[in-house]
Amino acid sequence: MQLEAEDYAAILAVLESVASSQDTRDYATRVSAGLYQLLPCRGASCTEVDAAGRRVVSEPAPPFPPGWIAQYGPAFEKYAWQHPLFERLVAGERVGPLSWSIDGADSAFADTELYRAFYEPNGVRRQVVLIFPTVEGTSIVISIDCAAEHPCGERESAVLATIAPLLENSYRLVRRAAGRSPWPVAEARPAGAPAGLPAPIDVDPRDGLTIDDAQLRAHKLLRAAGLTTRQSEIALMVASGAATSQIALSLGISPGTVRKHLEAVHATLGVSSRAAVAATVMRVVHPEAAGILAHPVLAR
């Protein structure tokens, strides 16, 4: 689905808010609130899941009503393994965005205890889900809940597909700046539980920087556009909504050095503003959006 120029402008606004997060819990709150405002859904949530330690910490929008966790939490914990994406979550895979729907190929899910005890009472008939692993061995699960009155569709998937690498980049940026996550630390894995595998890395011989698999594709596309690895990293951070001071703190360099890199980014990409850098990054990573991202509202 082709998004509109206004969609991309709204995505940039969400990313700018997320980049202002004080810590990873604040990040989760801002992600949920931003997506809930951006998409006409029943609810949005950003959740840290430790599948091995059986720990879930969620920041939903709108917030859970009083007594909600006590009422529905036990059922979710007991039957979570029945979720259509559970095996991929346990494996620590990067997922999505993918969706399940009881009105489509996943109709059998409607007969599970998890659906009847958790999703059905809350009116959820479909979800669009994005999952990415963290360095702590947990996973961040971002989900859009869809109901009969908010059926969701291609736009939700298109928005999440566009924003996914930038949300993951923002999480890593906030995580670095905040130090230890204020969310409860994951408990030790049970004896015999499989250890998480290190993410593959790629090295750019021009400057020796390593890039983990989460951003490998975006980096390669930006390097193909003429940026060095460091410039690609900074361009991705700008597209994630990060300010110069945040980029400097995250990378351990001075704000002046960041500005010099940004001057090179502007010259290479042929743009003159941070918004235009962000739009160009989205266009490079999502070439189907080329026409929309040239819209004046994104080139200011």
Side-chain angles (χ1 to χ4, degrees), residues 40-59:
C41 58
R42 184 175 186 83
S45 63
C46 182
T47 305
E48 186 183 38
V49 179
D50 175 15
R54 296 174 64 85
R55 179 179 61 84
V56 176
V57 183
S58 186
E59 294 295 336

Side-chain angles (χ1 to χ4, degrees), residues 36 45 75 114 120 127 132 137 141 145 152 154 194 199 218 227 241 280 285 290 299:
Y36 182 61
S45 63
L114 177 61
E120 186 175 37
Q127 269 190 332
F132 61 84
V141 181
D145 294 337
C152 303
E154 293 183 355
L227 301 183
T280 301
V285 176

Side-chain angles (χ1 to χ4, degrees), residues 178-253:
R180 287 181 64 87
S181 169
W183 283 6
V185 178
E187 299 175 4
R189 296 180 181 273
L197 296 177
I201 60 172
D202 180 62
V203 179
D204 188 329
R206 286 177 286 181
D207 51 19
L209 296 175
T210 60
I211 315 164
D212 90 321
D213 187 53
Q215 300 164 323
L216 181 57
R217 178 175 177 272
H219 273 272
K220 284 185 174 179
L221 289 170
L222 289 171
R223 294 206 305 274
L227 301 183
T228 66
T229 304
R230 177 63 89 191
Q231 291 166 3
S232 299
E233 186 171 24
I234 289 175
L236 278 170
M237 289 183 177
V238 169
S240 300
T244 297
S245 58
Q246 292 172 307
I247 296 173
L249 178 63
S250 176
L251 298 181
I253 58 180

Side-chain angles (χ1 to χ4, degrees), residues 227 230-231 234-239 242-244 247 255-269 271 273-274 277:
L227 301 183
R230 177 63 89 191
Q231 291 166 3
I234 289 175
L236 278 170
M237 289 183 177
V238 169
T244 297
I247 296 173
T257 300
V258 173
R259 284 190 284 270
K260 288 182 179 179
H261 281 303
L262 276 175
E263 290 175 3
V265 170
H266 287 174
T268 300
L269 299 182
V271 299
S273 70
R274 297 175 72 89
V277 169

